[in-house]
Amino acid sequence: AISPAMGDLRWGMTKAEVFTYFQTQIRERYRPQLAKAAGAIEEDRLRAEMGDHLRRLRESEVCFRGNHNGWDASFIRDEFTHNNNECLLVNNDANSQNFYFFINGKLWKWYKAFNAEVFQGQNFAQFSEALQARYGRSRQATGELVAGRGSRQWLEWQDAMTRLRAIDQTQFYGFFCLVFEEKETVANLATLRRNAPAARDGRHALV
């Protein structure tokens, strides 16, 4: 069930291809609303809203070239490194924040952080049970996402091309995350990331 969950996204897509994919999705989402708009004022409002969404998508692109930014102290800080030709696109929807990571211009990771209210009242154990009903039995995994930044824990599933991680971010941020990653890229990160990441304080980013 991992590949169907990715929809029409495919590993290796370029930033331009991913941008076009989401641009089309956004326009299609607004099409029925525009068709039913009750007058020119409502239509203008919807077009302005759609344009704002497209603008946020364009402006969300970040390439990690050594200049520190807000993502360096965020919950995704261990999902990328600087000076290794890595970039990011962000496209949020009604239920989640979605981060699309590229290395050497190719899509290799999708990080989905569910909004807190989506699973309000549920703990991570209940969240993981729902995931296992969909993806099958998980395994508990431990490892370093970036060399030298400390060990992390997650629940894991795999198919032929993709590793799926489920992460509990409720202690500090109040939400659960799913991370889809291309296995081939994960296996070759040591080679792809030629420039070693800078050492960081071992404490949590919020601390």
Side-chain angles (χ1 to χ4, degrees), residues 4 46 61 72 96 104 112 120 131-133 136 138 147 154 179-180:
L46 288 168
E61 181 182 354
D72 290 296
S96 61
N104 294 333
K112 187 176 187 68
Q120 193 169 13
L131 292 175
Q132 290 184 87
S138 65
W154 60 83
V179 187
F180 298 80

Side-chain angles (χ1 to χ4, degrees), residues 1 8 10 13 19 34 49 60 64 76 82 85 92-93 117 125 132-134 143 157 160 165 171 180 196 205:
D8 292 327
R10 295 291 178 268
M13 292 174 73
F19 177 82
L34 288 166
E49 188 178 294
S60 74
F64 303 105
I76 63 169
H82 282 273
N85 202 16
N92 298 334
D93 56 35
E117 60 269 18
Q132 290 184 87
R134 180 173 185 178
W157 297 261
R165 292 185 283 128
Q171 182 177 1
F180 298 80

Side-chain angles (χ1 to χ4, degrees), residues 124-144:
F124 188 68
Q126 293 169 307
F127 176 64
S128 64
E129 286 176 9
L131 292 175
Q132 290 184 87
R134 180 173 185 178
Y135 298 114
R137 185 175 296 278
S138 65
R139 79 177 188 93
Q140 186 76 39
T142 303
E144 281 192 314

